[in-house]
Amino acid sequence: MKKLLCAVLMICLLISSAAMAESVNSLSWETFVPVLEAADLNGEFHTFNEVSVKMWLPEGLNPVELSEEDKAKGIIAYFMPDDKSAAVSVVYTNVNGMSTEEYAEAVKGIEGTTEVEIVTVNGFPCVTYKMPEKDVVCAGFITESGYVLEITCFPASAEHADVLWGAVVCSIQNAE
């Protein structure tokens, strides 16, 4: 518990330090590695060949088999623990060549969406936002091919969710 509290305090310090800097909107995986280590949170990277990226997921989130209907909706991966208390979905869908700014404006138009921000994650432009009524936090990465890779994490209200889901989103990087 002390390690987790230390990690939360460390991330709060990092966030408040970033808020004072001019470049608030730049996040990286390296920022979260020491926080996860201090909290003794383990996980592993999963590679998504469809989009040539990889993403870290915490231990206990298991891949869920997708139906043909899920795949038709653009879902390329879904992860959940056995008790179904959390979930991460990865969706790759056509946004008809929208820019990051256009995507952010479109997201702002969705009822119940809050805290829409354009940030840079590991060098990739990203739109982050929350949907409190659905208890999710989302991040959308616009690709050069006119698609969005959207990561949705649930529950956003869980204790230490900002640290955990922040690490998931900030782990997005090119697959090697």
Side-chain angles (χ1 to χ4, degrees):
M1 185 64 176
K2 285 183 182 180
K3 287 183 180 181
L4 193 51
L5 180 59
C6 176
V8 171
L9 291 173
M10 186 177 189
I11 198 67
C12 289
L13 177 63
L14 290 169
I15 290 169
S16 64
S17 296
M20 293 180 191
E22 279 185 40
S23 180
V24 176
N25 299 331
S26 184
L27 305 169
S28 72
W29 172 238
E30 288 78 25
T31 303
F32 281 90
V33 171
V35 175
L36 295 172
E37 288 173 355
D40 199 25
L41 293 172
N42 298 308
E44 62 183 37
F45 276 89
H46 292 267
T47 300
F48 305 100
N49 294 325
E50 301 88 343
V51 290
S52 298
V53 298
K54 64 182 181 178
M55 178 177 75
W56 178 88
L57 289 167
E59 218 170 58
L61 284 180
N62 307 311
V64 174
E65 190 170 336
L66 299 175
S67 69
E68 290 305 314
E69 184 180 324
D70 292 334
K71 293 175 186 176
K73 292 178 185 174
I75 300 171
I76 60 173
Y78 196 82
F79 300 89
M80 186 183 304
D82 293 337
D83 67 3
K84 300 181 181 178
S85 62
V88 173
S89 70
V90 182
V91 178
Y92 189 61
T93 189
N94 190 346
V95 290
N96 299 314
M98 280 186 183
S99 68
T100 302
E101 293 77 14
E102 291 169 330
Y103 187 70
E105 286 303 313
V107 166
K108 286 178 185 177
I110 300 170
E111 188 176 334
T113 301
T114 65
E115 301 180 45
V116 179
E117 288 187 68
I118 296 176
V119 298
T120 301
V121 176
N122 297 322
F124 299 114
C126 176
V127 176
T128 61
Y129 60 98
K130 293 182 178 181
M131 299 181 88
E133 291 177 14
K134 294 183 178 182
D135 200 18
V136 298
V137 61
C138 306
F141 296 86
I142 302 296
T143 68
E144 292 175 1
S145 60
Y147 282 68
V148 64
L149 177 68
E150 185 143 297
I151 313 303
T152 302
C153 305
F154 165 85
S157 63
E159 187 176 9
H160 313 299
D162 288 345
V163 173
L164 189 59
W165 301 138
V168 169
V169 170
C170 287
S171 71
I172 295 285
Q173 51 195 283
N174 287 322
E176 298 168 355

